[in-house]
Amino acid sequence: MAESERQYNHPRDDHNPRPRLRERQREAIACALFITPAVIGFLIFTLVPLGISGYLSFTNFNLANTPALVGLANYREMFTDDLWWKSVQVTLVYALSVVPLWIITSLALALIMNQNLPAIRLYRTVFYLPAVLSGVAISMLWVWLLNYQTGLVNQLLKMIGIKGPNWLGDYNWALRSIIIMSVWSVGWYLPIWLSGLQAIPTELFEAVTVDGGNWWTRLRHVTLPLLSPVILYNLVVNIIWATQLFTEPLMMTNGGPRFATQTYMLYTYRNAFQYNKMGLASAMAWVLFVAVLALTFLAFKSSSMWVYYEGERKRG
């Protein structure tokens, strides 16, 4: 009797909340230890340089002098610079061209690569391979392909009776050539699209087929709605990448001819390291940061009208 009372008055440790609390504390400490390197890296390599560039955008720093505050002089110089507006125009044309092009072509490629075809893994690897190659190497390859006199593209066009243009040396074709070349890297998105496609339940496609739907019906009413979160992700990433084009115009055309391919990032680089106007370049970088941030915000703001989330649907 006394023993049973002692057991009743002193419950077992597995009903005591204190060990669970200590376990939560250990998990919190472990979590903090794991994220500490990432937080330190973000502070040192992102947040601190961001703050420094913000300060330098209000100075006359030129890599040799001591920064002195000049107020909004750099921003006034930037907004009255014809070459700055030209770089904005080039970047906008490029972004408006390649962002839908990247999304459409990469999605079409993923739909094909999602089929049960012979040697499908080999094809996926081949299409993804350009994504891991150096941007400089790819640029040099396309310089050879698009050479006006000896390039493979013009040689093939000549065989069918077409005289190819001066792809990289003509003002009207230089930016178009870089846009065409950009399709080369659409394989980078292939794993992202495939993960989204393979997460769609096959029962939904079977139900559409039973109801008499064709491939377009399955794509429109099943695939695209369930892929909309992936589309949103790719849209945001593509906007960021398209507005930061740098390597290809630098290596292929050096911004020419007549500034036809001088993108925003290339002009920012030149102001910083060729013209020694680090304060002006910092101001340009901040304008780009704010613009990309606004576009990203608009993309997320509009997502409520076209992005489908399965979890929110179930809760609703």
Side-chain angles (χ1 to χ4, degrees):
M1 181 70 179
E3 184 179 356
S4 62
E5 289 179 356
R6 285 196 299 270
Q7 292 178 353
Y8 179 81
N9 294 328
H10 300 280
R12 292 184 302 172
D13 290 340
D14 58 356
H15 294 288
N16 191 345
R18 292 183 179 179
R20 183 177 300 176
L21 181 61
R22 289 197 296 269
E23 182 179 354
R24 291 179 179 176
Q25 291 175 343
R26 289 195 298 268
E27 291 177 353
I29 294 173
C31 178
L33 291 176
F34 278 116
I35 67 174
T36 295
V39 172
I40 293 176
F42 173 77
L43 292 175
I44 296 177
F45 298 108
T46 302
L47 193 60
V48 172
L50 194 64
I52 293 175
S53 68
Y55 166 73
L56 292 178
S57 68
F58 298 101
T59 69
N60 62 350
F61 185 50
N62 62 5
L63 296 177
N65 66 332
T66 301
L69 291 174
V70 293
L72 298 176
N74 289 323
Y75 292 91
R76 286 194 295 266
E77 180 181 352
M78 175 175 53
F79 291 131
T80 56
D81 183 5
D82 292 336
L83 286 181
W84 181 83
W85 285 107
K86 178 62 177 179
S87 69
V88 172
Q89 176 189 353
V90 171
T91 304
L92 282 177
V93 171
Y94 177 81
L96 291 174
S97 301
V98 299
V99 169
L101 188 62
W102 278 340
I103 293 178
I104 295 173
T105 55
S106 61
L107 176 57
L109 177 63
L111 290 172
I112 297 173
M113 293 296 102
N114 195 43
Q115 304 299 316
N116 188 16
L117 301 175
I120 190 63
R121 293 183 179 180
L122 175 62
Y123 293 137
R124 292 173 181 174
T125 303
V126 170
F127 280 107
Y128 182 74
L129 187 60
V132 300
L133 297 179
S134 167
V136 175
I138 293 176
S139 299
M140 292 297 96
L141 172 64
W142 279 91
V143 167
W144 172 73
L145 290 174
L146 298 177
N147 185 276
Y148 176 59
Q149 296 179 342
T150 61
L152 180 61
V153 175
N154 279 0
Q155 293 298 321
L156 293 176
L157 292 176
K158 185 178 180 181
M159 293 174 60
I160 59 176
I162 299 177
K163 183 180 180 181
N166 187 359
W167 297 95
L168 301 176
D170 187 278
Y171 179 85
N172 296 319
W173 277 101
L175 184 59
R176 297 176 185 176
S177 301
I178 296 179
I179 293 173
I180 295 172
M181 184 271 298
S182 298
V183 183
W184 171 271
S185 60
V186 295
W188 186 91
Y189 306 96
L190 192 58
I192 302 173
W193 287 119
L194 287 176
S195 63
L197 288 170
Q198 293 173 4
I200 300 176
T202 57
E203 295 83 1
L204 298 177
F205 296 112
E206 294 172 357
V208 174
T209 304
V210 170
D211 291 339
N214 54 17
W215 69 271
W216 173 249
T217 307
R218 294 193 297 270
L219 177 66
R220 179 182 178 184
H221 296 288
V222 177
T223 304
L224 291 181
L226 293 182
L227 274 183
S228 55
V230 182
I231 297 175
L232 174 63
Y233 169 80
N234 284 332
L235 174 63
V236 173
V237 172
N238 287 341
I239 290 174
I240 296 173
W241 282 13
T243 54
Q244 296 184 11
L245 179 69
F246 172 76
T247 304
E248 290 79 1
L250 176 65
M251 300 302 301
M252 297 175 66
T253 61
N254 197 27
R258 290 182 293 155
F259 308 106
T261 59
Q262 181 165 265
T263 60
Y264 195 97
M265 285 298 298
L266 181 56
Y267 192 46
T268 302
Y269 164 81
R270 285 179 168 167
N271 275 286
F273 300 106
Q274 292 184 9
Y275 310 147
N276 292 326
K277 296 181 178 181
M278 186 61 70
L280 177 60
S282 298
M284 293 176 60
W286 265 90
V287 170
L288 178 62
F289 171 75
V290 173
V292 173
L293 186 65
L295 292 174
T296 304
F297 174 78
L298 291 176
F300 278 102
K301 193 69 175 178
S302 66
S303 64
S304 59
M305 297 183 293
W306 59 276
V307 177
Y308 173 87
Y309 292 105
E310 182 67 21
E312 294 183 359
R313 181 71 175 179
K314 290 180 179 179
R315 287 195 299 270

